[in-house]
Amino acid sequence: IDDTLGQVAQHKVKGLEEYRLLDNPSFVKLQDGTIACVSNVRLYGEGLTDDRHIAIMRFDTIGELLWKKIVNKSAYGNKNQYNTDIAQLAGGNIIFNGAGFVEFGNATYKQDIYPNYIQCINVKGDSLWQNTFSEDTTRKRIVVLQPLENGDILGGGYGFGLNWETLESTPYKGWLFCLSSDGKLKWERFYKNPKNLDEGVNIFRKLVICDDGGILVGTEGS
């Protein structure tokens, strides 16, 4: 794992030379001992633009690349500016998150939005399902994924409202959600900062399932 991390940090992953890896890649050790990684990437030669893609990679136990897939070429475009996380479900399939791209606005002002999604693939990299979260009233950003023993998927991050007339955003709220094993939303909750209800800043970055079934949440905020 250390060797793989070193290669990624130097942008020298064998078999992925045509891409530059961006931000902080996320890793998970799979049940067979191999390693899966998801990262934002950009093609060399695209220039200093925001055009980004998502790469999912699988390495063997000595860090050799087994396969790679560029997976976010969808109707939402190829931009991605948000954290990626990756996890393996009990049945062996792999989940990761990313974001697409949509531009909206009015005649005088335009703004980009990035509908976040979770995608499930098998260990060969074949896509099984994708769930994209609507941004009709609340803009949502996925930060962390945590599979549960019953097959469900717990996720966390943050959400914030958006005034579609002025395009002004309201403060962040912590966001928890739960999906079934086939990607369907079972429930979601938003949480304001209890010490400052007016601002309500919270970003959920770590989820730990406790012995009593509760959820311990690590947050960032003010």
Side-chain angles (χ1 to χ4, degrees):
I1 292 177
D2 288 341
D3 181 57
T4 302
L5 284 167
Q7 291 182 50
V8 170
Q10 297 173 49
H11 301 163
K12 295 180 180 178
V13 177
K14 185 177 180 181
L16 205 70
E17 295 90 347
E18 71 272 32
Y19 288 94
R20 179 182 297 278
L21 281 83
L22 306 169
D23 303 327
N24 296 316
S26 297
F27 294 84
V28 62
K29 184 176 181 180
L30 303 181
Q31 296 161 3
D32 63 359
T34 60
I35 302 161
C37 170
V38 63
S39 177
N40 297 328
V41 297
R42 184 172 66 201
L43 279 168
Y44 284 107
E46 283 187 347
L48 299 176
T49 70
D50 285 334
D51 291 335
R52 303 182 182 190
H53 315 275
I54 285 183
I56 176 78
M57 298 156 278
R58 186 180 175 199
F59 301 90
D60 64 19
T61 54
I62 61 172
E64 292 294 325
L65 185 66
L66 298 175
W67 52 256
K68 69 176 186 296
K69 303 262 183 174
I70 308 300
V71 294
N72 75 325
K73 293 181 178 178
S74 67
Y76 293 101
N78 295 326
K79 288 193 177 182
N80 187 295
Q81 293 189 351
Y82 299 102
N83 293 347
T84 53
D85 198 17
I86 188 169
Q88 187 173 33
L89 304 179
N93 294 328
I94 300 166
I95 55 171
F96 61 92
N97 67 285
F101 166 75
V102 176
E103 185 179 69
F104 73 98
N106 51 45
T108 59
Y109 182 75
K110 292 186 179 297
Q111 184 168 335
D112 300 341
I113 61 173
Y114 299 84
N116 275 222
Y117 63 81
I118 294 177
Q119 186 155 335
C120 181
I121 61 175
N122 60 25
V123 292
K124 296 180 180 179
D126 302 320
S127 180
L128 302 176
W129 54 258
Q130 183 183 107
N131 186 329
T132 300
F133 291 87
S134 169
E135 298 218 323
D136 290 342
T137 57
T138 302
R139 305 180 73 177
K140 303 168 183 177
R141 303 290 178 259
I142 303 168
V143 177
V144 59
L145 299 173
Q146 175 63 58
L148 303 179
E149 291 184 358
N150 66 357
D152 289 348
I153 302 162
L154 190 67
Y158 61 96
F160 54 100
L162 183 69
N163 185 317
W164 294 95
E165 296 295 329
T166 64
L167 303 183
E168 294 180 352
S169 299
T170 58
Y172 294 173
K173 296 174 289 185
W175 176 39
L176 281 180
F177 62 89
C178 183
L179 303 180
S180 59
S181 59
D182 59 357
K184 294 181 172 57
L185 182 66
K186 299 182 72 172
W187 56 261
E188 63 180 339
R189 304 284 189 276
F190 294 93
Y191 302 87
K192 289 185 177 182
N193 188 328
K195 293 185 178 180
N196 191 337
L197 296 180
D198 291 332
E199 292 190 5
V201 178
N202 252 345
I203 300 176
F204 291 175
R205 292 197 175 277
K206 182 69 175 179
L207 305 176
V208 177
I209 309 303
C210 303
D211 293 340
D212 62 1
I215 305 167
L216 182 63
V217 180
T219 72
E220 171 191 344
S222 61

